[in-house]
Amino acid sequence: MMSKQNTSHAVMAQRYEPKDSADDFPTPPWATRGLIEHVIGDVEDLRSLTCLEPACGRGYMTRPLSEYFGRVDSADAHDYGYAPIRDFLTYPYEAQSHDWVITNPPFRLAEEFVERALVVARKGVAILARTVFLESVGRYNGIFKDMPPSKFAQFTERVPMVKGRVDPKASTATGYAWFVWEKGANEGHPRLMWVPPCRKILERDGDYSSASN
């Protein structure tokens, strides 16, 4: 008789996408607000700063970022009908062209996104990634050893992500965290922190409607 172990967290937390996949898992807007309110909210007034969201999809992260930053530029390597089509890893963004680069990149390209974002950003970089991004010898040698984040902010609540849409009723067994690089801040000594329970407080009317409408 087959057991129910196939639905365990260990199995459910796995997510595999083909190499040519758009890896389209939109970020619930409250999770982006959590970054600003609980992780980088102590920085100078963001209203005077610019932000680039280079993997914007349908705009679910751009919209909450626009609530805080003076200007948010968006793009994506795939056509979602929301923003210009630009491959962040090859498009000729100028060095330090934006104050912040904030995004939820395709997991398989997250390391390359960090390296590129650190060139494009003047002040800081933040990527939302599965907690397991912290693991692996390759990523340690590639970025963490010489360019560790200034903050590692683990979500205490799950951040449900569904392929191709945002869904307020979705659930997940996958843990997510914000990896933040603040230039000139706490270099070489990452700060471990948590994003406290905040979903109920930070959700807004309209968060789960199409951001491109």
Side-chain angles (χ1 to χ4, degrees):
M1 181 177 177
M2 184 177 295
S3 71
K4 294 184 179 180
Q5 291 181 346
N6 287 342
T7 59
S8 70
H9 280 192
V11 173
M12 291 170 63
Q14 297 175 5
R15 189 178 95 195
Y16 298 99
E17 289 292 302
K19 290 185 178 180
D20 60 349
S21 168
D23 202 2
D24 178 22
F25 288 83
T27 305
W30 69 268
T32 301
R33 296 187 187 103
L35 167 70
I36 307 299
E37 298 286 345
H38 296 290
V39 184
I40 64 172
D42 57 350
V43 299
E44 61 185 279
D45 183 14
L46 299 181
R47 277 293 167 196
S48 66
L49 303 182
T50 61
C51 180
L52 173 65
E53 212 292 47
C56 69
R58 298 168 186 81
Y60 285 105
M61 185 176 284
T62 298
R63 184 164 56 187
L65 288 174
S66 298
E67 298 168 3
Y68 299 94
F69 284 90
R71 189 184 87 234
V72 179
D73 296 325
S74 301
D76 201 288
H78 301 272
D79 185 6
Y80 293 96
Y82 180 80
I85 303 172
R86 296 173 180 171
D87 186 334
F88 182 56
L89 302 180
T90 59
Y91 187 81
Y93 287 105
E94 293 184 6
Q96 299 187 15
S97 61
H98 293 76
D99 292 303
W100 279 84
V101 175
I102 299 176
T103 192
N104 173 5
F107 187 79
R108 70 185 186 282
L109 299 175
E111 183 177 340
E112 291 90 338
F113 263 68
V114 170
E115 293 172 344
R116 179 74 175 126
L118 287 171
V119 174
V120 174
R122 279 191 293 266
K123 293 183 176 293
V125 172
I127 69 161
L128 180 64
R130 282 176 273 170
T131 304
V132 295
F133 183 68
L134 195 63
E135 301 176 357
S136 100
V137 174
R139 282 189 286 274
Y140 170 75
N141 288 327
I143 53 175
F144 294 138
K145 181 173 67 175
D146 297 322
M147 299 179 293
S150 55
K151 293 175 180 175
F152 170 78
Q154 175 67 49
F155 276 93
T156 55
E157 296 174 287
R158 296 296 190 186
V159 182
M161 296 194 199
V162 181
K163 189 168 185 176
R165 70 187 196 279
V166 288
D167 184 349
K169 297 181 180 179
S171 61
T172 183
T174 303
Y176 284 89
W178 281 108
F179 295 74
V180 181
W181 287 258
E182 295 166 307
K183 294 189 175 182
N186 202 30
E187 291 186 356
H189 300 282
R191 176 186 172 188
L192 171 63
M193 57 192 304
W194 287 264
V195 180
C198 60
R199 175 174 176 172
K200 290 183 178 179
I201 296 173
L202 296 180
E203 283 186 322
R204 305 284 185 266
D205 292 340
D207 276 353
Y208 296 95
S209 61
S210 175
S212 59
N213 288 342

